[in-house]
Amino acid sequence: MPNDDILRIEDDSDDLHANADAGCWKLLIVDDEPDVHSSTILAIGRETICGRRLRFLHCHSCAEAKALLTTNADIAVILLDVVMESERAGLELIEYVRDELEMTDTRIVLRTGQPGYAPELDVIRRYEINDYKSKSELTRNKLYTTITSAIRSYAQIRALQMSKRGLEAILNASKGLICLREYDEFVSGIITQLAAFFSVPEEGVVCVRKHTDARSKDSHFRVVAAAGRFRHFINQPVAELSNPAIVEAIEQAAANRLHQLSPDYTCLFFESPQLGEMIVYLAAGPHDEGQSSQLLELFSTNIAVCIDNVSALNELHLAAYNDGLLRIPNRQAFLVEVERHLAQGTNQSMVVLIDIDEFAALNDTIGSEQGDRLLMAVRDRLAQQLPYALMIARIAGDTFGVLVETDRVDLDALDHLFLAPFDLGEQSYMLSATQGRVTIEDQAAATEVVAQANTALKRAKHSVRGGHLGFSAELLDDTERRVQLLQRLRRGHEANQLSLAYQPKIRLKSRQVCGFEALMRWRTGDGEQIEPLEFIPVAEASGMIVVLGEWAIQEALKTACELNTNSQQLMPIAVNVSAVQFRHPGFVELIDRALEQTGADPSWLELEITESVPMHDLDMVRALMSHLSERGIRFSIDDFGTGFSSLSYLEQLEIHSLKIDRHFIANLEKQPPQTRMPETILRLAQVLDLEVVAEGVETEAQAQWLEQAGCDIGQGYLYARPLASNQLMSWLSDWAEK
Ligand code: C2E
Ligand code: MG
Ligand code: MG
C-alpha cells in the first residue's frame, strides 16, 4: 500500500535472504506414493503464484505430517492424500490440523488415488476442505489452477487476520505505553511494543536528538534505550556505535525524516517540540504483507500521541523540580531531598540557606541579563566550593539552599564562599551573602527545617548581614506571633468576623458565568483585614481549619442555594479544602451534614484541593473522592503545576478540572511560547479529558491567549474581584447586561 510517510527499502535478493521463507508460499505434500511428490514439483515447482515462489515440504504418512505441522504454522496449502497408513489417515490429519492445532488459515486440497473413493461429505463440510480431486484428474493445468485458488484464499484470510491482529496490537501498545509515566520506562516500552507488534524478539534501540542540538554543529543522536543484543549501546552517540548497519539505518531515517521499512530492520521516525527527534530502530522488518503501511502508520501515530503525553509530563516534572534559569533543583526538590534525608535518619546534617545581599538593587543597576549571569556564577561557585553537598538548590530569587552532612562540611569554606569576586568576563563583581543554618536532628518535617533556616536567615539579615546565624529557640518569636494570631482567629471566628467572598468563573468562549469560588475573609474587630495567606496556614497547622472549613462549606452551600434555586443555569460554588481537612476522619459526614442542613444539591458544590492532598495517601484519597463524586460533588486541583511528586494520581482520581496557578498566567507574556507552562497543562488536560480553569486572569491579552490555547474557563480581576455575598445578585445582572 503506498504511503507518503513510509519508505520501503525493497530487498532484491529474495531467495538468498536469510529469511527466505518470508518470500515463499509453503506447500506441504502428504502422500505415501513417492511419485506424487516428484510429479507435483515437476508440474508446478517453478511457478510463481500471487507474486511468490513455492516452497515444498514433504511427508509420507499422517504421523510424519503431524510432527512436522506442530513446528510449521505458516503452511499455505496442504496437498493431502486420503488413504495412507490407514484408510482414514488423511481425514485424521485434517481433524488434527483444524481441531488440535487450530490452524484454520491453511488451505487443504484432498487427493485420492482410488477413483470413485470420496471422503465422507460431512468431513469436507466440517473442515473447510478447499478441493477434492482424484490424482488422475489433476493434470498440470488443473493442479496449477487448484493451487492458485487455494493460495489466493489463504493470502486473503491471512491479510484479514493480520490487520485484525495489528489493530489489537496497536490498541494494546497504546494502552501499555499510556500508563508509563516515566520517560525511561516509556522509551524502552516502545521497543517492547513494536517488537510485539511485529511478533519478533525485542532487539533494538531508541535514540533521540534534542531540537536545540539540531541547530548546533555537533548535533547528534544519542541512544536513550536499548534492548536485547544492543543493550550495551545505551547512552552512546549513534555515530559511535560499533554496528555500521544500525548507524546507516538511523542516519538514513534521520535524513529522510520518514519511517523506514526494510526486510531486516524497521526505523520509525518521530518528532515532537519537547522531545526533538526520536528514532526507534528494531532489528527486524515487518515480515508479513498484512502488516500494511497503513497499520504501521496507525501504530506510529498512536506512539506519537503517547510521546506528546509523556513529554508533557516530563516537562511538568522538570518545571516542578528544576529551576528554569539555573538548571539546578528548586525549592520543591530541595524539600523532597531534605525530607528523604530526614526519613533515612542516618547522618546528622545541616541545611544552609544562602541569600545574596542587596541582589534586587544590583539586578536593577546591572540589568536582569547580567543579574542572571551573576546567579549562574554563584551557582558554579557553590558547586565548586561545596563538592560534598548532598544538594544545592535555588530556593527563591537570590536564595540558595544547601544540604550537607555535618561531619563533612568545611565551615571555613562555607564562611568564605563570597570572598573572591565573581568574574563575568569583561566585568567582575564583589558580592556578599548572608546565611541561615540549621542542624537537622529529628525535626518532624522538611518544611519545618527549611522554615527554621529561613527564620535564622531573616534574623541574620538584620543583625549580621554578610555573616551567618544558626537557628535557635530565641528566634522563635515568629512562632509566638503565630500563637497569638491563632488565639485572635479563634475569638474572631466566635465573634463572626469571618466571611466568604465569591469570585466568579467565566467561560472564555461564551463569557457566561459558570460558577464561583468561595474565599475566606477576616476583618478583625478594629477593622484590620488579615489575608488568608497569613491566617490559613496558622489555622492549618493548629487543626483549627477543620472547624473553619466546616463553617465555610455550610456558608458556601447557603449561597449556592440562593444562586441555584431559581436559576436556569448550574452555578456550583467551589470551596477550598486543605489537606488537613481532607484527611480528617469526619470529612464525609461533615459534607453530608452541610448538604442536609442547607438542602443544597451536591452538584452545587465543588471542592478545590491542592496537589499535596493526593500525594500523601493515594488509596485513602481515591476512596474518599470516588465516594463524594458518586454523590455528584465535583473536584478540582488547585494551583496546578506548582509542586507535586507524582502525576499518576491524575488518572486515578475522579477529577473534573485543573486550575492553573495564577503565577503562570502572570508570566505568560514574558515567556517564549515553547516554555509556557499553561500550554503544557492544557495539553495534559486534553489527554486526560479535564476542564481547565486559569486563575488570576488580569488582562484581556491573557484571556485571549488562554482562549486560543484551548482553555475553558477564566477567573480573575479582569472579570471581578472576590465579591461579598450580598453583591452577587446585582453583579450577575450587571454582567448579563454587558
Ligand atoms: P486560591 O484558592 O488559589 O485562591 C485564589 C487567590 O487568588 C485568592 O486569594 C484570590 O483573591 C486571588 N486572585 C483571584 N483573582 C486574582 C487576580 O486576578 N490577580 C491576583 N493577583 N490574585 C487573584 P486569597 O483570597 O488571598 O486566597 C489565598 C489562598 O488562601 C487561596 O488560594 C486558598 O488556597 C486559601 N484559601 C482562601 N479561602 C480558603 C478557605 O476557605 N479554605 C481554605 N482551606 N483555604 C482557603
Ligand atoms: Mg482555590
Ligand atoms: Mg489557586
Side-chain angles (χ1 to χ4, degrees):
M1 241 160 277
N3 189 308
D4 289 348
D5 296 332
I6 295 180
L7 188 68
R8 272 187 193 276
I9 298 171
E10 298 302 344
D11 182 30
D12 40 27
S13 56
D14 223 5
D15 283 341
L16 299 174
H17 195 264
N19 202 6
D21 281 353
C24 297
W25 302 118
K26 281 197 203 170
L27 237 79
L28 171 63
I29 305 175
V30 189
D31 207 304
D32 54 357
E33 289 174 51
D35 284 359
V36 173
H37 292 259
S38 50
S39 64
T40 308
I41 293 182
L42 209 62
I44 54 168
R46 309 200 131 265
E47 298 295 343
T48 298
I49 297 178
C50 295
R52 294 191 197 179
R53 307 289 296 275
L54 305 177
R55 186 171 161 239
F56 294 92
L57 303 170
H58 302 275
C59 291
H60 299 85
S61 68
C62 168
E64 197 187 339
K66 279 184 179 174
L68 180 132
L69 280 164
T70 42
T71 54
N72 285 274
D74 54 346
I75 289 177
V77 183
I78 305 179
L79 274 167
L80 180 60
D81 190 11
V82 179
V83 183
M84 290 179 290
E85 60 259 59
S86 74
E87 277 224 327
R88 285 190 89 256
L91 302 180
E92 198 185 302
L93 186 67
I94 296 171
E95 283 164 2
Y96 180 73
V97 167
R98 295 288 195 237
D99 291 346
E100 298 210 9
L101 298 178
E102 295 181 354
M103 288 170 65
T104 50
D105 308 349
T106 304
R107 304 293 84 203
I108 300 176
V109 175
L110 275 178
R111 297 197 285 191
T112 175
Q114 286 110 321
Y117 178 94
E120 298 121 63
L121 261 180
D122 71 309
V123 175
I124 295 191
R125 257 188 240 119
R126 199 149 37 105
Y127 291 113
E128 232 193 290
I129 307 298
N130 259 63
D131 221 336
Y132 169 73
K133 291 271 160 23
S134 80
K135 288 180 189 171
S136 55
E137 244 184 301
L138 280 175
T139 59
R140 190 198 162 274
N141 272 351
K142 275 217 176 116
L143 184 62
Y144 178 79
T145 323
T146 305
I147 298 295
T148 304
S149 87
I151 286 182
R152 191 167 287 143
S153 84
Y154 173 77
Q156 279 165 356
I157 292 172
R158 290 293 285 187
L160 275 174
Q161 294 245 332
M162 281 313 294
S163 59
K164 185 166 154 264
R165 233 173 277 161
L167 281 170
E168 272 166 15
I170 289 166
L171 284 177
N172 287 338
S174 333
K175 260 191 254 156
L177 288 174
I178 205 116
C179 49
L180 298 183
R181 287 286 167 236
E182 298 299 328
Y183 178 79
D184 291 348
E185 257 184 87
F186 174 78
V187 283
S188 21
I190 296 181
I191 304 180
T192 311
Q193 298 299 347
L194 187 62
F197 182 59
F198 286 162
S199 320
V200 297
E202 288 176 35
E203 303 268 5
V205 299
V206 178
C207 56
V208 166
R209 170 163 71 183
K210 290 267 179 224
H211 268 307
T212 42
D213 295 343
R215 266 171 256 119
S216 73
K217 263 193 261 134
D218 56 4
S219 71
H220 56 262
F221 277 94
R222 181 172 283 276
V223 176
V224 293
R229 66 193 136 106
F230 306 120
R231 194 165 285 280
H232 60 286
F233 286 162
I234 188 81
N235 289 333
Q236 292 186 27
V238 168
E240 289 167 26
L241 299 183
S242 60
N243 182 325
I246 295 191
V247 179
E248 198 194 321
I250 291 176
E251 281 174 353
Q252 208 176 344
N256 294 326
R257 310 173 69 75
L258 293 175
H259 301 322
Q260 208 139 313
L261 305 184
S262 113
D264 38 16
Y265 72 84
T266 305
C267 266
L268 300 185
F269 178 87
F270 300 99
E271 200 173 12
S272 93
Q274 295 76 32
L275 206 68
E277 292 160 45
M278 175 190 263
I279 291 176
V280 182
Y281 171 94
L282 191 72
H287 55 69
D288 205 300
E289 278 302 302
Q291 259 149 359
S292 70
S293 309
Q294 281 179 338
L295 277 182
L296 189 65
E297 189 56 25
L298 189 57
F299 180 83
S300 320
T301 310
N302 265 284
I303 290 197
V305 169
C306 297
I307 288 177
D308 274 353
N309 187 8
V310 167
S311 321
L313 291 167
N314 265 287
E315 215 181 304
L316 278 172
H317 189 86
L318 216 65
Y321 285 103
N322 268 274
D323 183 76
L325 174 69
L326 300 186
R327 311 229 163 265
I328 55 172
N330 63 9
R331 180 190 163 83
Q332 192 64 26
F334 191 68
L335 287 173
V336 170
E337 184 61 22
V338 173
E339 190 78 60
R340 211 174 58 85
H341 202 69
L342 279 165
Q344 279 176 350
T346 43
N347 284 340
Q348 211 187 43
S349 46
M350 184 192 247
V351 164
V352 185
L353 293 190
I354 304 173
D355 188 276
I356 306 171
D357 298 328
E358 311 293 354
F359 187 77
L362 183 64
N363 207 27
D364 284 346
T365 337
I366 63 176
S368 58
E369 212 169 291
Q370 196 75 342
D372 288 351
R373 293 177 62 201
L374 210 45
L375 286 173
M376 291 179 203
V378 173
R379 167 202 63 193
D380 295 344
R381 169 81 52 89
L382 295 183
Q384 191 193 11
Q385 302 281 314
L386 310 169
Y388 44 79
L390 298 172
M391 183 177 268
I392 298 176
R394 187 186 186 191
I395 301 293
D398 56 354
T399 313
F400 291 82
V402 180
L403 176 67
V404 284
E405 279 169 352
T406 324
D407 53 1
R408 302 199 61 182
V409 67
D410 176 351
L411 289 176
D412 267 353
L414 207 54
D415 287 345
H416 298 145
L417 278 173
F418 286 75
L419 275 189
F422 291 85
D423 262 332
L424 296 187
E426 66 286 359
Q427 190 114 35
S428 77
Y429 297 89
M430 280 305 295
L431 295 180
S432 102
T434 308
Q435 301 180 9
R437 299 175 188 173
V438 55
T439 314
I440 305 183
E441 271 140 330
D442 46 10
Q443 279 93 346
T447 41
E448 203 178 316
V449 175
V450 174
Q452 288 181 353
N454 206 26
T455 309
L457 173 66
K458 273 193 199 147
R459 184 55 82 85
K461 280 268 180 192
H462 289 296
S463 53
V464 288
R465 185 167 281 250
H468 66 84
L469 213 61
F471 174 80
S472 66
E474 297 96 74
L475 299 178
L476 273 179
D477 57 8
D478 190 47
T479 315
E480 211 160 290
R481 212 182 57 78
R482 288 162 70 98
V483 170
Q484 276 180 11
L485 188 68
L486 181 64
Q487 285 165 350
R488 282 173 72 197
L489 180 60
R490 217 168 250 136
R491 286 197 299 269
H493 175 50
E494 281 158 17
N496 293 324
Q497 289 171 359
L498 294 179
S499 64
L500 289 184
Y502 298 89
Q503 191 175 34
K505 298 184 190 175
I506 311 290
R507 286 215 174 269
L508 292 172
K509 270 220 175 71
S510 61
R511 297 184 69 80
Q512 279 196 329
V513 184
C514 58
F516 289 86
E517 175 175 6
L519 295 157
M520 219 178 267
R521 294 290 174 260
W522 178 20
R523 188 180 283 276
T524 61
D526 47 19
E528 187 194 356
Q529 182 93 29
I530 299 180
E531 294 299 317
L533 288 181
E534 203 173 331
F535 70 83
I536 297 276
V538 172
E540 282 173 344
S542 64
M544 193 189 167
I545 194 70
V546 176
V547 180
L548 294 188
E550 173 161 19
W551 165 81
I553 288 169
Q554 290 259 3
E555 206 49 35
L557 283 179
K558 279 186 214 156
T559 308
C561 289
E562 286 166 31
L563 283 176
N564 286 281
T565 310
N566 296 314
S567 162
Q568 303 278 309
Q569 219 185 329
L570 182 65
M571 296 245 191
I573 295 200
V575 181
N576 293 283
V577 176
S578 310
V580 187
Q581 289 171 267
F582 209 76
R583 282 200 290 272
H584 194 271
F587 189 65
V588 175
E589 288 85 75
L590 177 157
I591 299 272
D592 283 342
R593 200 157 53 231
L595 286 170
E596 199 184 324
Q597 285 175 6
T598 56
D601 189 274
S603 68
W604 301 345
L605 179 63
E606 180 172 320
L607 299 176
E608 290 189 9
I609 57 173
T610 59
E611 291 158 291
S612 62
V613 172
M615 255 173 59
H616 284 287
D617 184 352
L618 188 57
D619 288 338
M620 184 279 278
V621 171
R622 195 194 298 126
L624 195 56
M625 282 175 74
S626 78
H627 208 64
L628 292 168
S629 298
E630 270 167 29
R631 290 176 172 59
I633 295 170
R634 298 204 283 194
F635 283 91
S636 57
I637 302 284
D638 205 357
D639 307 339
F640 188 74
T642 55
F644 41 80
S645 62
S646 153
L647 280 162
S648 58
Y649 72 83
L650 280 184
E651 276 185 330
Q652 298 187 34
L653 300 177
E654 306 207 21
I655 297 164
H656 186 260
S657 56
L658 300 180
K659 299 190 77 178
I660 307 180
D661 190 66
R662 70 184 144 93
H663 295 103
F664 296 124
I665 307 299
N667 288 328
L668 259 186
E669 282 125 29
K670 290 186 217 140
Q671 289 172 338
Q674 275 309 329
T675 61
R676 284 176 185 162
M677 192 67 163
E679 210 147 49
T680 303
I681 296 177
L682 285 163
R683 222 166 339 113
L684 178 73
Q686 203 177 15
V687 175
L688 298 172
D689 199 19
L690 299 173
E691 202 163 54
V692 179
V693 182
E695 296 181 330
V697 181
E698 292 187 355
T699 67
E700 197 56 59
Q702 290 166 344
Q704 267 169 23
W705 187 92
L706 286 161
E707 188 191 335
Q708 266 156 25
C711 181
D712 309 286
I713 295 168
Q715 177 186 345
Y717 295 168
L718 174 66
Y719 309 110
R721 295 204 169 237
L723 305 155
S725 60
N726 58 12
Q727 298 174 315
L728 282 185
M729 288 305 176
S730 64
W731 182 87
L732 274 172
S733 61
D734 286 352
W735 179 263
E737 277 163 28
K738 266 195 191 164

